[in-house]
Amino acid sequence: ALGLDLAVFLEIEVLPSKMETVAKAISEMDETAIVYQMTGPTVLHVHLFVENDKKLSQLLNEKIYPLDGIVSTSVYMLLKDYKTKLNIK
């Protein structure tokens, strides 16, 4: 994404009763590229693109962490891309 140099992956555990609300709210954020609901615990797998670590911190603290229904969040930054094939379905 042009000007958005930091690729970030989130694993967000969500209360089952809040899954749709949280997924929709995150999907509507400009920084969000992908939102998947995963098997296992009620988890959302999210791909974000942000300008830098300061913008990531701001996004997490102001938009994501305050969402009602989030149980826990793990944040991972992409260091190196060995292969990306996004046209699979």
Side-chain angles (χ1 to χ4, degrees):
L2 192 58
L4 303 176
D5 297 328
L6 190 59
V8 181
F9 303 93
L10 306 177
E11 295 291 332
I12 304 173
E13 186 176 355
V14 181
L15 293 173
S17 62
K18 300 290 185 176
M19 179 61 72
E20 293 299 318
T21 304
V22 171
K24 184 177 180 190
I26 293 172
S27 295
E28 292 174 351
M29 295 176 187
D30 292 338
E31 299 86 355
T32 302
I34 295 172
V35 178
Y36 296 131
Q37 183 178 3
M38 306 300 287
T39 60
T42 50
V43 172
L44 292 175
H45 179 80
V46 179
H47 294 199
L48 304 171
F49 291 94
V50 294
E51 291 177 44
N52 53 46
D53 56 348
K54 183 177 178 182
K55 293 289 186 179
L56 172 60
S57 178
Q58 183 178 8
L59 174 70
L60 292 170
N61 288 309
E62 294 178 9
K63 294 184 179 179
I64 294 178
Y65 292 155
L67 291 173
D68 184 40
I70 292 180
V71 175
S72 65
T73 305
S74 298
V75 181
Y76 307 96
M77 291 186 285
L78 177 68
L79 297 177
K80 186 174 183 178
D81 181 0
Y82 290 98
K83 181 178 180 178
T84 299
K85 184 176 179 182
L86 297 176
N87 61 345
I88 56 174
K89 280 226 174 199

